[in-house]
Amino acid sequence: MNVALFGSGNMARGIGIRMLAGGNRVTVLGRDGAAADELARELRSVVPGGVTAALTLPVLPDADVFVLAVPFEAARELVELHRDDLGGRILIDITNPVDFQTFDGLVVDPGDSAAETLARLAGPEVRVVKAFNTTFASTLIDGRVDGHPLDVFVASDDTAAGLTVAELVKNSGLTPVDAGPLRRARELEAFQFLHMTLQDRLGLSWSSALKILR
């Protein structure tokens, strides 16, 4: 599939590597053209020929799937700006709406989530899927922690879109976990916030993963 990444930071890098590992083609999108070009060059060094282009926003490619690999507030701005261009497309929200000033809570109201907020902004024509919000960038490079493939929790109100993202996850060497409807993003975002607060407390160095075993 053709996968477009909003963003050129560490999460875009990690997800881009996983998408390339799954045989997909990747386009990097960013406001900073130089940063987008740099990430595209880095990804090309991993899988030659897998990166189609690096584009400077607001130009959008004709991609099957768009990934919001940016912080929540930036994701809001992008969705508001491009909602008409994203109609019918799958939009993966990876954000965690953490209050980074206090690092002591989320910036969305109780009973809401970043994913649901973005879905409301996008409108019913955009097929929003929550995924990759519980994975850290460093763990996506290899796709494994302690020998276990990463779990990627997938939540969506669009069954077909959720299945498509699950297939992308599986083909990239990770394990998709069907978390249910989009409102499950509330728990996924809160769970990852707890996971983030444990990094310094437990000395995990952002190299841990949430995993369901049985």
Side-chain angles (χ1 to χ4, degrees):
M1 301 188 76
N2 292 317
V3 179
L5 303 172
F6 285 111
S8 52
N10 290 334
M11 283 299 293
R13 178 181 296 104
I15 293 173
I17 288 173
R18 287 296 102 214
M19 292 298 100
L20 291 171
N24 304 289
R25 295 181 67 78
V26 171
T27 301
V28 180
L29 307 172
R31 290 192 177 98
D32 183 338
D37 285 338
E38 182 178 351
L39 178 56
R41 285 194 297 271
E42 183 177 344
L43 293 176
R44 286 191 188 102
S45 71
V46 176
V47 179
V51 180
T52 59
L55 301 178
T56 303
L57 294 171
V59 178
L60 292 187
D62 184 20
D64 304 298
V65 176
F66 288 81
V67 182
L68 289 166
V70 294
F72 175 52
E73 289 304 322
R76 288 175 59 109
E77 295 176 10
L78 287 168
V79 169
E80 290 178 323
L81 181 62
H82 296 291
R83 56 176 292 172
D84 292 338
D85 302 314
L86 294 170
R89 311 294 182 85
I90 295 174
L91 182 65
I92 299 178
D93 167 38
I94 77 163
T95 68
N96 289 298
V98 175
D99 184 339
F100 286 105
Q101 290 189 332
T102 66
F103 208 65
D104 194 36
L106 304 179
V107 297
V108 293
D109 294 330
D112 200 2
S113 66
E116 291 169 288
T117 300
L118 296 174
R120 289 193 298 272
L121 289 173
E125 298 303 316
V126 182
R127 308 164 70 193
V128 177
V129 179
K130 189 75 177 185
F132 290 103
N133 80 294
T134 61
T135 56
F136 291 132
S138 60
T139 65
L140 285 165
I141 304 302
D142 292 328
R144 291 176 173 267
V145 170
D146 196 30
H148 296 285
L150 299 179
D151 280 356
V152 176
F153 297 88
V154 179
S156 182
D157 291 335
D158 186 312
T159 301
L163 289 172
T164 296
V165 172
E167 190 69 13
L168 282 173
V169 169
K170 182 179 178 181
N171 290 341
S172 72
L174 310 180
T175 303
V177 178
D178 181 1
L182 194 63
R183 63 179 179 273
R184 289 287 79 80
R186 304 169 192 176
E187 290 78 26
L188 291 175
E189 292 167 9
F191 199 14
Q192 181 65 357
F193 170 59
L194 174 62
H195 189 200
M196 294 167 74
T197 66
L198 294 176
Q199 295 307 300
D200 288 340
R201 184 178 294 274
L202 300 183
L204 298 174
S205 301
W206 305 92
S207 60
S208 57
L210 300 176
K211 180 74 177 175
I212 294 179
L213 298 173
R214 68 176 180 182

